[in-house]
Amino acid sequence: MRLGLLGPEGTFSEMAAKKWRKDAELVFFDDMELAAMAVDEGRVDESIVAIENSVEGPVGVIHDRLLDVKSPIVGEVVIPIRQCLMARPDASEIKVILSHPQGLGQCRKYIREHYPNAEIRSTGSTAHAARLAQEFPEMAAIGCSASAEKYHLKVLAEGIQDRTANYTRFLVIGKNLPAPTGQDKTSLAVYLDRDRPGALYEFLGEFATRGINMTRIESRPSKLTLGDYRFFIDVEGHCQDKVLGEALHALKDRTSKLKVLGSYPVADKV
Ligand SMILES: O=C(O)C(=O)Cc1ccccc1
């Protein structure tokens, strides 16, 4: 089983990948979008990508990318995120702080208070930041303690995220839709006619009237014009469940621009 993810070694994505599947062969990509597309391209059997964080919010590019990905979402993994600041053991004064935009966004307060004059630079991943900090003594990286170990860096501070409770949810993209388990979630993307009052209300009404619980709604720009959006919606249930199946059927009659991204078992609570 080949599992694609954001690299290099030592990312939070690797932590999530190991939680999802202990024995997979990990295939690292330079950015998450490449990992998201890798199943469609036949490079891997599954991919794992971050979709949202409890402090910093959605990973926009992955939402947008899911519109083109043909392979279904087959699972989700939630992991706690504890951010560390790390630098070479012989680090000089820290002039530059590096991390993935999600890492920087989760530690804004810490950076502002402790390194108000540092230059902030975003990198492809937290492990990529650690790898750079290994080369330059004036740089520090924000990432997980595993990457400090991996790149022989000293942890200068631990648990520096703005909120102690900090969780990231990852999606697994795979080849085949898993069978219903009774504890599932379905992810959808929809583009609605914005010039009609009540379009979203009516759309969501198909769930509400059937007693289907919505667990998430996210809007993303359609990229067509300003003020035009797509909605990413998660609801409880599997698309092959009777009631949700009926709701989806009714919705497909309402709009041709509905994509079922996948149905998958709800992640274990963390
Ligand atoms: O860069 C990483 O380590 C990732 O896997 C992306 C990410 C970054 C910060 C928090 C969660 C996921």
Side-chain angles (χ1 to χ4, degrees):
M1 168 64 73
R2 286 161 64 80
L3 177 56
L5 71 162
L6 177 66
E9 281 178 60
T11 56
F12 286 104
S13 299
E14 185 176 352
M15 275 172 65
K18 288 181 170 155
K19 183 168 179 187
W20 171 251
R21 208 178 273 291
K22 287 200 172 51
D23 51 356
E25 179 194 337
L26 301 182
V27 180
F28 293 99
F29 291 89
D30 284 343
D31 84 58
M32 257 192 281
E33 278 192 274
L34 293 175
M37 294 184 295
V39 180
D40 279 4
E41 290 167 353
R43 293 161 179 252
V44 293
D45 303 296
E46 286 179 341
S47 279
I48 191 157
V49 288
I51 189 77
E52 61 168 330
N53 172 265
S54 59
V55 174
E56 187 51 15
V59 182
V61 288
I62 296 303
H63 286 78
D64 297 344
R65 181 49 69 187
L66 284 172
L67 296 170
D68 320 317
V69 169
K70 292 186 185 66
S71 307
I73 301 168
V74 300
E76 63 169 3
V77 180
V78 178
I79 59 164
I81 302 285
R82 194 169 155 76
Q83 297 285 10
C84 300
L85 185 74
M86 57 193 91
R88 278 166 64 132
D90 65 343
S92 47
E93 188 201 341
I94 301 301
K95 297 208 177 88
V96 182
I97 295 184
L98 309 163
S99 194
H100 184 276
Q102 275 277 332
L104 295 171
Q106 290 162 27
C107 304
R108 280 204 183 93
K109 191 160 162 272
Y110 177 87
I111 299 172
R112 196 169 52 235
E113 283 172 6
H114 294 82
Y115 295 91
N117 300 319
E119 193 181 312
I120 311 301
R121 289 259 167 253
S122 66
T123 53
S125 72
T126 57
H128 181 213
R131 207 174 62 187
L132 282 170
Q134 191 183 29
E135 283 178 48
F136 301 99
E138 75 282 11
M139 296 189 182
I142 292 176
C144 65
S145 57
S147 71
E149 248 173 69
K150 171 90 200 139
Y151 299 100
H152 313 292
L153 299 174
K154 187 172 145 195
V155 173
L156 305 177
E158 244 177 299
I160 61 167
Q161 66 276 0
D162 292 352
R163 296 279 176 151
T164 315
N166 181 24
Y167 298 95
T168 296
R169 182 170 159 253
F170 291 80
L171 294 178
V172 182
I173 297 166
K175 286 185 173 154
N176 303 307
L177 197 72
T181 65
Q183 286 292 320
D184 303 298
K185 205 185 252 187
T186 293
S187 295
L188 316 163
V190 67
Y191 178 70
L192 296 170
D193 181 359
R194 74 194 159 113
D195 288 333
R196 196 168 52 79
L200 181 60
Y201 175 86
E202 285 169 20
F203 186 91
L204 297 179
E206 296 287 359
F207 299 123
T209 53
R210 291 177 173 85
I212 297 167
N213 193 29
M214 181 177 77
T215 56
R216 182 168 186 244
I217 183 163
E218 196 69 61
S219 63
R220 291 285 306 156
S222 71
K223 302 184 198 274
L224 299 172
T225 182
L226 188 66
D228 198 41
Y229 305 97
R230 275 199 178 81
F231 297 98
F232 287 81
I233 295 168
D234 288 352
V235 289
E236 286 176 0
H238 193 288
C239 61
Q240 290 166 358
D241 291 346
K242 187 167 177 291
V243 182
L244 182 53
E246 282 168 12
L248 294 174
H249 201 75
L251 290 171
K252 279 181 180 157
D253 284 344
R254 283 188 188 277
T255 171
S256 57
K257 289 164 185 152
L258 172 68
K259 182 176 178 195
V260 178
L261 302 169
S263 288
Y264 47 92
V266 172
D268 294 338
K269 285 241 171 351
V270 283

